[in-house]
Amino acid sequence: ALEDPTSQPCTGDWVVVKRWPDGRVSAEAVLPRRTVFIRAAGSTRSSKGQVLAANIDTAVVTEGLQPEPDLGRIERLLALTWQNGAEPVIVLTKADLATDAEMLVADVATTAPGAPVHAVSAVTGAGLPALAPYVAPGRTVAILGPSGAGKSTLTNALATMEVMATRAPRADHKGRHTTAHRELVVLPGGG
């Protein structure tokens, strides 16, 4: 029988490691998780699902303001966040491209009671200082959202350096799919 895939180490896990005399390092145990994000099983072959990340304090749900935010997707990601024990924060990216940002922020806030909503522009820096409390030292943040929402660009802006590859938006201002992996990035401030 196959092991439970949700018991395997994932991004954000704390593990006990052993250093061997020949220089090898092995993970000996995964410590208990405070929070865990699990993607529901997408096939009939597995009923367990896939662990996406563990020990997340805050889940930043990203959605671009250009084109208009998908309120249904925001609701689904908020439900995933609440279900998995993290504090949700909605970050609406590409504020520099939206002419009606304030109205869209109000629409999203109405759809997502209990979650702070911030509009930011990684290009101009507008709104980024409001995110500082979420990426404070000792806190772990997961940035969730669809391809092209600006997750990598937001990560780079928070890190104040390029730590994730990005691609320019398409002519219609939609983002482009860039990354296909999960990575833990330590920010200069310790978050």
Side-chain angles (χ1 to χ4, degrees), residues 93-187:
T93 61
K94 307 177 188 183
D96 54 300
L97 300 176
T99 57
D100 54 351
E102 288 181 23
M103 183 182 75
L104 293 171
V105 167
D107 288 347
V108 170
T110 300
T111 301
V117 180
H118 302 278
V120 304
S121 169
V123 173
T124 68
L128 290 174
L131 303 183
Y134 306 113
V135 292
R139 294 190 50 85
T140 302
V141 174
I143 301 179
L144 311 172
S147 293
K151 298 180 299 292
S152 296
T153 302
L154 179 61
T155 300
N156 291 341
L158 293 172
T160 66
M161 67 180 90
E162 186 168 332
V163 293
M164 302 290 287
T166 61
R167 292 175 63 187
R170 301 179 336 194
D172 60 3
H173 300 296
K174 290 183 179 179
R176 296 176 190 252
H177 179 76
T178 304
T179 54
H181 69 282
R182 290 172 218 115
E183 181 176 343
L184 192 60
V185 176
V186 179
L187 300 180

Side-chain angles (χ1 to χ4, degrees), residues 10-78:
C10 72
T11 302
D13 269 329
W14 289 92
V15 297
V16 176
V17 297
K18 181 176 183 177
R19 295 186 188 281
W20 296 86
D22 63 2
R24 292 178 299 134
V25 177
S26 61
E28 298 295 310
V30 176
L31 298 178
R33 296 168 172 154
R34 290 180 292 110
T35 62
V36 62
F37 278 70
I38 299 176
R39 178 185 296 160
S43 71
T44 56
R45 291 181 299 169
S46 172
S47 62
K48 299 289 186 190
Q50 176 189 25
V51 178
L52 302 175
N55 299 312
I56 304 300
D57 297 302
T58 303
V60 172
V61 175
T62 58
E63 186 76 28
L65 283 168
Q66 184 68 9
E68 199 166 293
D70 181 332
L71 299 179
R73 180 171 39 230
I74 291 171
E75 287 176 330
R76 289 188 300 278
L77 289 172
L78 280 175

